[in-house]
Amino acid sequence: MKFDNLFEAAAKEFEAAFTRSTQGMRPDEIGAPREEQLRQFLSDWLPPQYGITNGYVISRKKEISRQCDVILYSRYTSPKFI
């Protein structure tokens, strides 16, 4: 298996997602396809102990991020919020 070929294919998929997203008018129409492509790439390559999702990040000072972000977390040590 040649990793160069795999990463070249992934780069083409990222480029296609980037091109498709330029047709959007709102920020979420532009960013969402790009973030989905990144989440898919990470989920294909990271070990299963890591989770990838989207959401808002809350700091220790209770500040909430202004946009929905790609979030990478440990499935074993991250607290669950219900």
Side-chain angles (χ1 to χ4, degrees), residues 48-79:
Q49 70 258 30
Y50 296 105
I52 300 98
T53 191
N54 63 326
Y56 295 90
V57 177
I58 303 171
S59 74
R60 289 182 178 195
K61 295 179 182 180
K62 298 181 182 176
E63 298 165 330
I64 300 173
S65 61
R66 292 188 284 179
Q67 65 182 26
C68 190
D69 296 308
V70 174
I71 299 171
L72 175 67
Y73 64 95
S74 169
R75 292 182 192 268
Y76 305 130
T77 60
S78 295

Side-chain angles (χ1 to χ4, degrees), residues 9-63:
K12 287 179 182 179
E13 291 173 8
F14 274 106
E15 185 176 4
F18 182 86
T19 300
R20 284 190 308 272
S21 69
T22 60
Q23 304 304 309
M25 300 296 288
R26 299 185 326 249
D28 62 319
E29 292 175 338
I30 295 169
R34 296 174 185 182
E35 292 169 1
E36 176 58 33
Q37 187 67 39
L38 178 60
R39 284 193 303 272
Q40 184 60 51
F41 175 80
L42 291 173
S43 68
D44 289 345
W45 286 92
L46 289 174
Q49 70 258 30
Y50 296 105
I52 300 98
T53 191
N54 63 326
Y56 295 90
V57 177
I58 303 171
S59 74
R60 289 182 178 195
K61 295 179 182 180
K62 298 181 182 176
E63 298 165 330

Side-chain angles (χ1 to χ4, degrees), residues 1-12 45:
M1 178 183 309
K2 293 188 92 179
F3 284 106
D4 290 345
N5 294 342
L6 293 172
F7 281 106
E8 184 177 332
K12 287 179 182 179
W45 286 92

